[in-house]
Amino acid sequence: MSVSANNLDACVVGVDFGTLSGRALVVRVRDGAELGTAVHEYGHGVMDATLAATGEPLPPDWALQDPGDYCDVLRHAVPEAVASAGIDPAQVIGIGTDFTACTVLPALADGTPLCQVPELAGRPHAYPKLWKHHAAQPQADRINALAHERGERWIARYGGKISSEWEFAKALQLLEEDPETYQRASRWIEAADWIIWQLAGAETRNACTAGYKGIWQDGRYPSREFLAALDPRFAGFAADKLGHDIRPLGARAGALTAQAAGWTGLPGGIAVAVGNVDAHVTPPAAAAIEPGQMVAIMGTSTCHVMNGDTLAEVPGMCGVVDGGIVAGRWGFEAGQSGVGDIFAWFAEHAVPPDYTGEAARRGVSVHELLSAEAAAQPAGAHGLIALDWLNGNRSVLVDHHLSGAIVGLTLATRAPDIYRALVESTAFGTRVIMDSFRSSGVPVTELVAAGGLLKNEFVMQVYADVTRLPLSLIISEQGPALGSAIHAAVAAGAYPDVPAAAAAMGGRHEAVYRPDPASAGTYDRMYAEYLLLHDYFGRGANEVMHRLRALRDEVLRRKEDGSGEPPGGAVPAATAGLGRPERMARGGVWGGRPPEASTYGGRS
Amino acid sequence: MSVSANNLDACVVGVDFGTLSGRALVVRVRDGAELGTAVHEYGHGVMDATLAATGEPLPPDWALQDPGDYCDVLRHAVPEAVASAGIDPAQVIGIGTDFTACTVLPALADGTPLCQVPELAGRPHAYPKLWKHHAAQPQADRINALAHERGERWIARYGGKISSEWEFAKALQLLEEDPETYQRASRWIEAADWIIWQLAGAETRNACTAGYKGIWQDGRYPSREFLAALDPRFAGFAADKLGHDIRPLGARAGALTAQAAGWTGLPGGIAVAVGNVDAHVTPPAAAAIEPGQMVAIMGTSTCHVMNGDTLAEVPGMCGVVDGGIVAGRWGFEAGQSGVGDIFAWFAEHAVPPDYTGEAARRGVSVHELLSAEAAAQPAGAHGLIALDWLNGNRSVLVDHHLSGAIVGLTLATRAPDIYRALVESTAFGTRVIMDSFRSSGVPVTELVAAGGLLKNEFVMQVYADVTRLPLSLIISEQGPALGSAIHAAVAAGAYPDVPAAAAAMGGRHEAVYRPDPASAGTYDRMYAEYLLLHDYFGRGANEVMHRLRALRDEVLRRKEDGSGEPPGGAVPAATAGLGRPERMARGGVWGGRPPEASTYGGRS
């Protein structure tokens, strides 16, 4: 408090490390005013096809990054943001960051990434594994099976399933596939913590990633016995390579080193906050950290984060962590693996030329046109129910082999009908999550939207109507960077704690959308239908989605092996030309946020 | 036989009366060569919005025609066809016709349509009700309920349900809504029989429409007691207004009158065959009238017709009629209410510009492009299962309030994937019908395709693979008109019976498509999934489709009443402009047939 009281012009810098770039934001400490910002794209982007250092192809489902790119953000985006703010760098009293997670790397004892050790630079396993590196599924499966077999208490804190994206699965993959590099790694560290090490010159670990991604529960990691049962060589992993000094969010990690001061142009010695995660740093930016305030960061996917006063184990949540969002409270996280991604898929791959042409003619996006047309319908008029699982289901079914469905199609169904049904399906998915929280004794009383989708008024109204909750909107367009700045202000001592800083610097527009009673009544009936289908397809009554996926994989494998079906009887070979669209989904861009900013829930 | 033996140049004329036009075809008797053809469009088309005579608006679901248009086909198309054939009219020895059904009209005792009685010309109920007049559903519902209540034996011959399209439902509507016109009607007659009356000068009734549309079973109509229980005034309907001299198909109705000779330019006194129906007249044209040969007339919808040696009551079929297709055999009929219609819906309303643009660039139709792309996939590669009920389900569920569904969607799903899944879903629907026949003791051994869809090689191969049957193709592109010509030749005595005439004049390419074993194996697995979903959504386990439709109707009614939901909270009114596409489906056009020719299964 003293710092800001003494200095009306004090500023902090928040840096948001996304999937493809990093953004720096200069924020005034006393009121959260956003004075300047800058973005720096990673030079290596995401390495998912080849390793840049060698040109070596990477296996499927791999996703690596180059840690030098993170430092480049400090070198470029931070000074540019300060310059664009028009302030004197001396006004800056602290810096905070947030990162994608779990993005994790092996390092030497001094923090040097193994990929920067010359003899290891050609080894893929020496590089940071990005959150969406999905090649550790076999390891995750074994971790989950063993945890249930041994009755590990922590598994219930993660809805019953550890993700292949997280620290232990990725580390076990490293050990099994490249034991030499595993041995060389003194540290296995989240990029969220590694970047702080670069700024403050000393290793720290933050409560958020330790809890959500590192299985740190009740003051400890999974036991040596558990790890040894996975692989005897893995027994010492947690004890030896992870950090055990877990610091609360908003804590001071240290002082900005001379080297980092040189990179950033900021004064040496200013406060550096401990690391954080993009989704989890957002509630303070929205000043929505009270129990019952569910913050939904809605982009290509949605991440739901909320504080609670007491521990509850909610079936199907991603995790519950003591101090995982704000120190002193239990932080709950849930997610939907496809939201804006689904709308983007539809707009790109299923909307006929009469609509796309009309959108072009009016100078609006296809989303804007479809939203307007869909909004003109009363709820229930399209006669459709969709299941929003085109990218799998994260919460509450935790099953990425589920797929999407649409029921109720007729020859009179048109694109805005399906678009509306897809939007509604994601809202029903959010309501399922809320209901799961409530039935586990965790009330949800307000929905606070952040992320790119909040600009779509139609989508927001549907969410208010479906959830029957007042829907508030975060004010900042740079929620994560503002959240990081808030933590910087606390680390600098300008506020006694994150809640105080959030109250002064963050903010939301309250209850911008309120449920319309008639629509909400119709949606109650449609939600009942959604639930019936949700449970039928998602809880084992008919595992058709799993079987169809398995059949697809089998057929495609057979085709690749050259042992596939002959093209079949009299069917002519396809006329050559239009290449088959890649089977990998492209990340959709939504609203005004940069692409990576909207990948949120999918990665944390 | 004598006629053709004596005259190598003898010809017959077949006339196919469709929904929007009539086609005449001149055919050589000895070998079925098609020598000339002509089409005449109905001047009044389909009256479904207003009555032409008065401009009076018609209620929803009405569809009327003007019988003068039918005579115009005789006046124009027949002489033009003869001219285009380059033959001497004197070579023509007979004329036969087929019609949409149940298209039915009230007439005076001399055959004058009531709408041609001046004081009745302004009454909608005085006009022919076209097959797709769907305003008699309440009457059909009451007929069905009463039939089951009284345990009428005939109801099982119709899969347990009489259609609102048929003679009794439409007549009961006439009685209840316009009793005066009902009283004036001495005759209630299928247009199929009325046109023969115009040609031969005397009333006849044919076994096909009497059986399939007139509930003529075991030599009688529904009883006086049954009809009286529907409405006391209806007791004498069958006895008084229907015909009781039911003639077999291929029989001679009479000799061409002088008046009709004047219209057509054909010689007076030549043979006129009794009436027939477009779908049912097609098997002889394909020379596919043996038991086990299922003829599928595949257009916007599909009609399945097949002969059997013995009576069997197949659950969900449209009807089984003694001599309904060929005299002396039991004729079975089943149908799928949406087939080409569904593909057309998809191509028009769900295919994005990259495909429609590519099709335009290559100068092919969207269907051709999607078919080629879909054909290039191995079966099962798209991971999808669809339910083909976008226009309801005729056989075997007999439920027009069902709707379509797609399961297995992912962000990698592309238009050719869904297109293929829709094509497959209709093939699965055909297999369900075949399985229903088989499990009722009626074998199906060959699938014979007729109708516009047979030109699509991809679709045909899928049907062969899914049904595991050799798939043959009718040779003629004018199946119904050729079938009518075959019946004319029999009526003229050129052949002893329809089978003999069909063997000489009709024909099919046998087993053009054979099941590919690998694809068929994959389809067996996918069919199992289809059946699971078919029964789940179609047999009462989850009546979500009915509830969604009811909700839709309720919501739209509320909106029309002005008592609807307010537009809702902060949602802006839709930007004006792009009108909502009509909720009525447009009939899709497929392949080279004229539009009405492909509405087949939907009407008979």
Side-chain angles (χ1 to χ4, degrees):
Chain A
M1 196 63 96
S2 53
V3 175
S4 68
N6 292 342
N7 181 357
L8 287 177
D9 295 325
C11 290
V12 280
V13 173
V15 189
D16 169 40
F17 290 89
T19 297
L20 294 170
S21 66
R23 171 184 294 276
L25 181 71
V26 176
V27 180
R28 192 160 59 201
V29 169
R30 65 177 157 92
D31 60 359
E34 299 176 14
L35 305 179
T37 187
V39 173
H40 183 78
E41 308 257 329
Y42 300 154
H44 298 83
V46 175
M47 292 184 284
D48 53 10
T50 54
L51 191 69
T54 62
E56 178 196 345
L58 294 170
D61 295 328
W62 276 61
L64 305 180
Q65 292 199 313
D66 188 311
D69 292 342
Y70 307 147
C71 294
D72 284 347
V73 171
L74 301 177
R75 283 191 194 94
H76 299 283
V78 174
E80 285 169 26
V82 170
S84 82
I87 63 162
D88 179 347
Q91 290 173 241
V92 177
I93 63 168
I95 182 170
T97 63
D98 63 271
F99 227 102
T100 65
C102 165
T103 296
V104 64
L105 63 151
L108 299 177
D110 67 356
T112 305
L114 289 196
C115 59
Q116 291 177 2
V117 175
E119 69 270 21
L120 297 176
R123 299 199 177 205
H125 271 296
Y127 286 77
K129 290 184 168 68
L130 185 61
W131 62 274
K132 64 177 174 178
H133 172 97
H134 284 138
Q137 190 61 52
Q139 288 78 15
D141 292 344
R142 285 164 47 212
I143 290 171
N144 287 323
L146 184 66
H148 286 287
E149 188 186 313
R150 290 173 48 98
E152 298 288 343
R153 277 182 49 200
W154 45 262
I155 194 72
R157 302 270 172 95
Y158 302 97
K161 268 190 194 170
I162 295 301
S163 167
S164 70
E165 293 181 4
W166 297 353
E167 290 181 20
F168 281 72
K170 282 171 169 162
L172 189 54
Q173 187 199 9
L174 164 60
L175 165 65
E176 295 180 342
E177 298 181 4
D178 187 353
E180 252 180 60
T181 301
Y182 178 83
Q183 288 306 330
R184 292 292 297 275
S186 292
R187 315 306 295 153
W188 184 246
I189 185 166
E190 289 276 344
D193 291 326
W194 181 85
I195 198 70
I196 298 303
W197 198 341
Q198 306 314 302
L199 289 165
E203 180 183 4
T204 57
R205 304 277 176 139
N206 74 83
C208 177
T209 50
Y212 289 110
K213 315 300 173 188
I215 323 185
W216 174 270
Q217 290 285 354
D218 302 324
R220 55 188 169 275
Y221 291 111
S223 68
R224 178 176 289 271
E225 293 70 32
F226 175 81
L227 299 176
L230 285 170
D231 189 312
R233 298 168 297 171
F234 204 50
F237 166 70
D240 301 342
K241 299 184 197 291
L242 297 180
H244 295 262
D245 170 22
I246 311 296
R247 305 221 184 156
L249 299 178
R252 191 172 182 276
L256 192 70
T257 64
Q259 184 186 41
W263 292 342
T264 58
L266 299 179
I270 62 169
V272 178
V274 298
N276 212 325
V277 174
D278 44 17
H280 302 73
V281 81
T282 299
I289 55 176
E290 293 304 310
Q293 294 181 311
M294 177 173 277
V295 179
I297 301 107
M298 300 171 64
T300 57
S301 58
T302 290
C303 187
H304 309 80
V305 284
M306 186 175 69
N307 285 304
D309 280 332
T310 52
L311 171 64
E313 287 169 354
V314 181
M317 71 182 165
C318 303
V320 53
V321 169
D322 187 6
I325 301 169
V326 171
R329 287 184 172 141
W330 288 92
F332 295 91
E333 182 190 348
Q336 290 174 267
S337 19
V339 180
D341 250 359
I342 296 175
F343 313 152
W345 166 83
F346 183 76
E348 189 171 349
H349 299 296
V351 176
D354 46 350
Y355 287 95
T356 56
E358 177 67 15
R361 203 182 59 72
R362 290 198 209 165
V364 300
S365 72
V366 173
H367 290 289
E368 287 172 294
L369 178 66
L370 292 177
S371 295
E373 296 271 330
Q377 304 179 3
H382 53 50
L384 301 169
I385 288 285
L387 290 175
D388 53 319
W389 304 341
L390 283 86
N391 202 22
N393 178 295
R394 173 159 305 192
S395 300
V396 299
L397 298 171
V398 200
D399 185 344
H400 290 285
H401 286 180
L402 293 174
S403 50
I406 304 175
V407 172
L409 297 164
T410 75
L411 297 178
T413 302
R414 296 292 176 271
D417 301 332
I418 301 178
Y419 189 78
R420 181 166 179 137
L422 291 173
V423 168
E424 291 164 348
S425 73
T426 65
F428 294 141
T430 287
R431 184 163 164 183
V432 168
I433 290 168
M434 288 178 173
D435 284 355
S436 187
F437 274 91
R438 288 175 180 135
S439 61
S440 302
V442 184
V444 183
T445 53
E446 180 186 350
L447 182 59
V448 182
L453 280 175
L454 67 73
K455 292 185 176 166
N456 187 313
E457 297 181 343
F458 160 66
V459 172
M460 293 297 105
Q461 186 63 48
V462 167
Y463 272 68
D465 292 345
V466 165
T467 62
R468 286 185 173 274
L469 285 180
L471 191 149
S472 308
L473 304 181
I474 189 171
I475 294 172
S476 175
E477 294 196 0
Q478 310 299 342
L482 175 59
S484 290
I486 286 170
H487 285 75
V490 175
Y495 294 98
D497 52 26
V498 171
M505 299 173 70
R508 69 189 190 285
H509 298 295
E510 275 185 71
V512 176
Y513 300 88
R514 291 183 178 277
D516 169 73
S519 295
T522 300
Y523 281 138
D524 283 345
R525 291 161 65 182
M526 293 170 66
Y527 180 61
E529 303 296 349
Y530 177 89
L531 277 185
L532 266 180
L533 295 174
H534 177 280
D535 290 354
Y536 175 71
F537 286 109
R539 296 197 194 271
N542 183 351
E543 301 216 310
V544 56
M545 291 171 178
H546 287 184
R547 290 190 299 267
L548 288 175
R549 179 180 293 260
L551 176 63
R552 180 198 71 186
D553 293 347
E554 181 190 321
V555 162
L556 292 176
R557 206 163 42 236
R558 232 190 290 153
K559 190 186 179 193
E560 264 172 34
D561 295 349
S563 58
E565 305 167 358
V571 177
T575 55
L578 187 65
R580 171 155 192 79
E582 291 180 85
R583 290 211 79 90
M584 287 302 299
R586 287 182 43 200
V589 183
W590 190 278
R593 294 181 62 90
E596 79 277 15
S598 53
T599 56
Y600 257 112
R603 76 192 177 209
S604 48
Chain B
M1 192 68 91
S2 52
V3 175
S4 69
N6 293 343
N7 181 357
L8 288 174
D9 296 327
C11 289
V12 279
V13 173
V15 189
D16 169 40
F17 289 89
T19 298
L20 295 170
S21 65
R23 170 185 295 275
L25 181 70
V26 176
V27 180
R28 193 160 58 200
V29 169
R30 64 177 158 95
D31 61 358
E34 299 177 13
L35 304 180
T37 188
V39 173
H40 183 79
E41 309 257 329
Y42 300 154
H44 298 83
V46 176
M47 292 185 282
D48 53 10
T50 55
L51 190 69
T54 61
E56 178 196 343
L58 294 171
D61 296 327
W62 276 59
L64 305 180
Q65 292 199 314
D66 188 311
D69 293 342
Y70 307 148
C71 294
D72 285 346
V73 171
L74 300 177
R75 282 192 195 94
H76 298 284
V78 174
E80 284 170 27
V82 170
S84 82
I87 63 162
D88 179 347
Q91 290 173 240
V92 176
I93 61 170
I95 182 169
T97 62
D98 63 271
F99 227 102
T100 66
C102 166
T103 296
V104 64
L105 63 150
L108 299 179
D110 67 357
T112 305
L114 290 196
C115 59
Q116 291 177 2
V117 175
E119 69 270 24
L120 297 175
R123 297 200 178 204
H125 271 295
Y127 285 78
K129 291 185 168 67
L130 185 61
W131 63 274
K132 65 177 175 177
H133 172 98
H134 284 138
Q137 190 61 53
Q139 287 78 16
D141 291 345
R142 284 165 47 213
I143 290 171
N144 287 322
L146 184 64
H148 286 287
E149 190 186 313
R150 289 174 48 98
E152 298 289 343
R153 277 180 51 199
W154 45 261
I155 193 74
R157 301 271 172 95
Y158 302 97
K161 267 189 196 173
I162 295 300
S163 167
S164 70
E165 291 180 4
W166 297 352
E167 291 181 20
F168 281 72
K170 282 171 169 162
L172 189 55
Q173 188 198 9
L174 164 60
L175 165 65
E176 295 182 343
E177 297 182 4
D178 188 353
E180 252 180 60
T181 300
Y182 178 83
Q183 289 305 330
R184 291 291 297 275
S186 291
R187 316 306 295 153
W188 184 246
I189 186 167
E190 290 275 343
D193 291 326
W194 181 85
I195 197 72
I196 298 304
W197 199 340
Q198 307 314 302
L199 288 166
E203 180 183 6
T204 56
R205 303 279 175 137
N206 74 84
C208 177
T209 51
Y212 289 110
K213 315 301 174 188
I215 323 186
W216 173 269
Q217 290 285 353
D218 302 324
R220 55 187 168 276
Y221 291 111
S223 68
R224 178 175 290 271
E225 293 70 34
F226 176 80
L227 299 176
L230 286 170
D231 189 312
R233 297 168 297 169
F234 204 50
F237 166 70
D240 301 342
K241 298 184 198 291
L242 298 180
H244 295 262
D245 171 19
I246 311 297
R247 306 225 184 152
L249 299 179
R252 189 170 183 278
L256 193 70
T257 63
Q259 183 184 43
W263 290 343
T264 58
L266 300 178
I270 63 169
V272 178
V274 299
N276 211 325
V277 174
D278 45 14
H280 302 73
V281 82
T282 299
I289 55 177
E290 293 304 310
Q293 293 182 311
M294 178 173 276
V295 178
I297 301 106
M298 301 171 63
T300 57
S301 57
T302 289
C303 187
H304 309 79
V305 284
M306 185 176 70
N307 284 304
D309 280 330
T310 52
L311 170 65
E313 287 169 354
V314 182
M317 70 182 166
C318 303
V320 55
V321 169
D322 188 4
I325 301 170
V326 171
R329 289 187 170 139
W330 288 92
F332 294 92
E333 182 189 349
Q336 289 176 267
S337 20
V339 180
D341 251 359
I342 296 174
F343 313 153
W345 167 83
F346 183 76
E348 188 170 350
H349 300 296
V351 176
D354 45 353
Y355 287 95
T356 56
E358 177 67 14
R361 202 181 60 72
R362 292 199 208 166
V364 299
S365 72
V366 174
H367 290 289
E368 288 172 292
L369 178 67
L370 292 178
S371 295
E373 297 270 329
Q377 304 180 3
H382 53 50
L384 301 169
I385 288 285
L387 290 175
D388 53 318
W389 305 340
L390 284 85
N391 203 22
N393 179 294
R394 173 160 303 193
S395 299
V396 299
L397 298 171
V398 200
D399 185 344
H400 290 285
H401 285 180
L402 293 174
S403 49
I406 305 175
V407 172
L409 297 164
T410 74
L411 297 178
T413 302
R414 296 292 177 271
D417 302 333
I418 301 178
Y419 188 78
R420 180 168 181 137
L422 291 172
V423 168
E424 290 164 347
S425 73
T426 65
F428 293 142
T430 287
R431 183 164 165 180
V432 169
I433 289 168
M434 289 179 173
D435 284 356
S436 188
F437 274 91
R438 288 174 180 137
S439 62
S440 302
V442 184
V444 183
T445 54
E446 179 185 351
L447 183 59
V448 182
L453 279 176
L454 66 72
K455 294 187 177 167
N456 187 315
E457 299 181 341
F458 161 67
V459 172
M460 292 297 105
Q461 185 63 48
V462 167
Y463 272 68
D465 292 346
V466 165
T467 62
R468 286 184 173 275
L469 285 181
L471 191 149
S472 309
L473 304 182
I474 190 171
I475 294 172
S476 175
E477 293 196 1
Q478 309 300 342
L482 174 59
S484 291
I486 286 171
H487 285 76
V490 175
Y495 294 97
D497 53 24
V498 171
M505 300 173 68
R508 69 190 191 284
H509 297 296
E510 275 185 70
V512 176
Y513 300 88
R514 292 184 177 276
D516 169 74
S519 295
T522 300
Y523 281 139
D524 283 344
R525 291 160 69 181
M526 291 169 68
Y527 179 61
E529 304 297 349
Y530 176 89
L531 277 184
L532 266 180
L533 295 174
H534 176 279
D535 290 353
Y536 176 72
F537 286 109
R539 298 197 191 272
N542 184 350
E543 301 217 308
V544 55
M545 290 170 177
H546 287 184
R547 290 189 299 266
L548 288 174
R549 179 180 294 260
L551 177 63
R552 179 199 73 186
D553 293 346
E554 179 190 323
V555 162
L556 291 176
R557 207 162 41 237
R558 229 189 292 152
K559 192 185 178 192
E560 263 170 33
D561 295 349
S563 59
E565 306 166 358
V571 177
T575 58
L578 187 63
R580 171 153 193 83
E582 291 179 88
R583 290 209 79 90
M584 286 302 299
R586 286 180 45 199
V589 183
W590 189 278
R593 294 178 62 88
E596 79 276 13
S598 55
T599 57
Y600 258 112
R603 74 194 177 208
S604 48

